[in-house]
Amino acid sequence: MTFINYASREINCKIVYYGPGLCGKTTNLQHIYDSTAAQSKGKLISLATETDRTLFFDFMPLELGTVRGFKTRFHLYTVPGQVFYEASRKLILKGVDGVVFVADSQEERMDANIESLYNLEENLRSYGYELMKLPYVLQLNKRDLPNVVPPADLTAELQRKGEPVVEAIASNGVGVFDTLKAVAKQVLTELRKS
Amino acid sequence: MANSPILIREQRYHQIKALLARLRLDASARLVVLVDKDGQQIAVHGELGELDTTSLASLAAGNVAATGGMAKLIGEREFPTLSHEGERESIHISVIGRVLLLVVFDDRSSLGLVKLRSKQVSQELAQAFAEVERDSQASAADGSLPFGEITDEEIDSLFSQP
């Protein structure tokens, strides 16, 4: 839920990166963290297992700039992608303002993408949110791998509502900021409507 | 948007800050933070030092969400308070409706005192936040949110600021 604080002149919004296990959600955040100036970001918090799999969430606050005298801060979260972390994954969606679905473009991960997307819609519904009404971006990640599904086929399978689709290679930063901008713009545009 | 925005006017913010300041004094605490259940920091008062209160707020909300999930699994609605005691610093969290009151304290205070003082101030904080929610709904209804007139150019300019 967006917070507008008149006293500190700040707008705070929450964006969640969702997707199947090992699709690159944490890698997206890591790239944003590594490429952002120190004064624009807070700490990157990772609640991960000993093997670096996300256990609960990753979190980083990011300041984008000022609009109408208000600092805009985006709180970026990832969810744990592994199927058995369902309970904690759902908790992270509470109060979300915008969602990025990170799809793994590899052929063998197609079923995992579909399952995760279905799971996202279901978990949003449990809070009374509708994916169709939420700022939302589809990222097709890992485009550099050899066995990837063509973007058109992935889009046909995974696009839900004409949302922006961004091709990405999060490990080297391709498409990461385009994805963030696409979702952040939608969140701010929604703010205008509300 | 999933929900309409929460809007905190200056007067309300200072009212909340004053309540936090009083609690900090009464509880002999190091720091008091009011956090939304979704992880957004609302107000903070006390010895900040180098402490990253944004991360603290996010982790506190995650902590309460996780223990709330455990509560439901065993048939409880939620755990209204959580305490974490360290060697030197400790944290006490009270769930007050949709906000969390987080008190950081050291050996200048005690868990019992922090619990007592937190409980005493919780009703006033709940009332203050209820007013914040009423303000927000009223602003959303009458279209007086500050970004109603925001232009596409202004949004675009955010992404070109250095």
Side-chain angles (χ1 to χ4, degrees):
Chain A
M1 179 180 301
T2 307
F3 255 82
I4 303 170
N5 189 329
Y6 272 89
S8 56
R9 310 294 286 177
E10 272 184 10
I11 318 169
N12 287 282
C13 309
K14 178 174 181 178
I15 291 174
V16 174
Y17 285 71
Y18 210 92
L22 293 174
C23 66
K25 301 174 289 293
T26 301
T27 312
N28 265 270
L29 247 65
Q30 188 69 53
H31 178 78
I32 294 167
Y33 183 79
D34 291 342
S35 331
T36 309
Q39 68 270 21
S40 304
K41 66 185 177 193
K43 282 193 185 114
L44 173 60
I45 302 275
S46 272
L47 302 182
T49 65
E50 286 184 3
T51 52
D52 273 344
R53 300 296 302 271
T54 304
L55 176 64
F56 194 1
F57 59 81
D58 307 304
F59 165 75
M60 76 167 279
L62 177 73
E63 201 177 300
L64 272 187
T66 305
V67 65
R68 303 244 158 163
F70 283 78
K71 277 189 229 163
T72 54
R73 295 180 89 196
F74 285 84
H75 291 197
L76 310 181
Y77 285 83
T78 67
V79 298
Q82 289 171 281
V83 173
F84 53 88
Y85 288 136
E86 167 60 10
S88 36
R89 185 164 44 243
K90 187 173 156 185
L91 295 174
I92 311 301
L93 282 174
K94 200 159 181 291
V96 68
D97 293 306
V99 175
V100 171
F101 186 85
V102 182
D104 188 329
S105 298
Q106 298 176 94
E107 220 173 291
E108 64 269 26
R109 297 299 287 161
M110 192 54 128
D111 287 349
N113 288 327
I114 293 168
E115 190 186 343
S116 178
L117 186 53
Y118 181 74
N119 175 257
L120 166 65
E121 290 184 287
E122 209 173 57
N123 280 338
L124 285 172
R125 261 198 298 275
S126 74
Y127 289 120
Y129 311 152
E130 278 297 331
L131 182 63
M132 302 305 276
K133 293 182 185 163
L134 208 62
Y136 178 63
V137 172
L138 172 64
Q139 183 188 75
L140 310 179
N141 194 22
K142 305 196 182 187
R143 297 309 304 166
D144 56 330
L145 296 185
N147 53 337
V148 293
V149 178
D153 295 355
L154 272 171
T155 303
E157 195 68 55
L158 300 173
Q159 195 182 35
R160 279 291 181 270
K161 52 168 187 174
E163 70 272 14
V165 179
V166 182
E167 291 185 41
I169 309 167
S171 56
N172 64 19
V174 173
V176 169
F177 276 96
D178 292 338
T179 305
L180 176 64
K181 280 178 193 176
V183 73
K185 269 177 110 162
Q186 287 181 59
V187 169
L188 292 171
T189 306
E190 270 307 304
L191 211 54
R192 174 169 64 191
K193 285 187 212 160
S194 66
Chain B
M1 197 72 62
N3 290 296
S4 39
I6 292 286
L7 195 143
I8 303 181
R9 302 263 180 213
E10 289 198 34
Q11 185 197 354
R12 202 70 70 196
Y13 178 77
H14 292 302
Q15 181 192 354
I16 289 171
K17 283 272 282 186
L19 288 171
L20 298 188
R22 197 178 81 207
L23 171 61
R24 189 203 162 211
L25 198 68
D26 290 349
S28 301
R30 184 185 148 196
L31 185 78
V32 184
V33 195
L34 194 68
V35 179
D36 170 72
K37 264 189 176 170
D38 302 339
Q40 310 263 22
Q41 177 185 305
I42 299 166
V44 58
H45 184 84
E47 297 164 25
L48 282 167
E50 294 294 302
L51 186 64
D52 176 0
T53 53
T54 306
S55 296
L56 188 66
S58 154
L59 290 169
N63 188 0
V64 168
T67 48
M70 289 197 290
K72 286 194 179 73
L73 287 177
I74 62 165
E76 280 291 323
R77 196 169 66 82
E78 67 182 0
F79 295 126
T81 62
L82 304 174
S83 301
H84 304 290
E85 291 183 78
E87 265 183 48
R88 291 183 307 277
E89 305 280 341
S90 300
I91 289 175
H92 178 72
I93 303 173
S94 325
V95 181
I96 307 170
R98 60 158 300 162
V99 294
L100 314 175
L101 176 62
L102 189 148
V103 182
V104 181
F105 61 99
D106 55 24
D107 55 12
R108 289 173 286 178
S109 185
S110 68
L111 180 58
L113 179 66
V114 169
K115 273 187 170 179
L116 175 72
R117 298 303 190 200
S118 295
K119 199 168 182 183
Q120 284 172 341
V121 82
S122 62
Q123 201 176 349
E124 281 176 89
L125 277 170
Q127 274 170 4
F129 202 76
E131 291 295 330
V132 167
E133 287 185 305
R134 267 195 288 277
D135 288 348
S136 305
Q137 281 160 9
S139 295
D142 68 17
S144 64
L145 284 171
F147 304 103
E149 307 295 317
I150 193 173
T151 62
D152 287 340
E153 289 71 31
E154 282 176 300
I155 294 174
D156 283 335
S157 78
L158 267 184
F159 299 99
S160 52
Q161 289 177 24

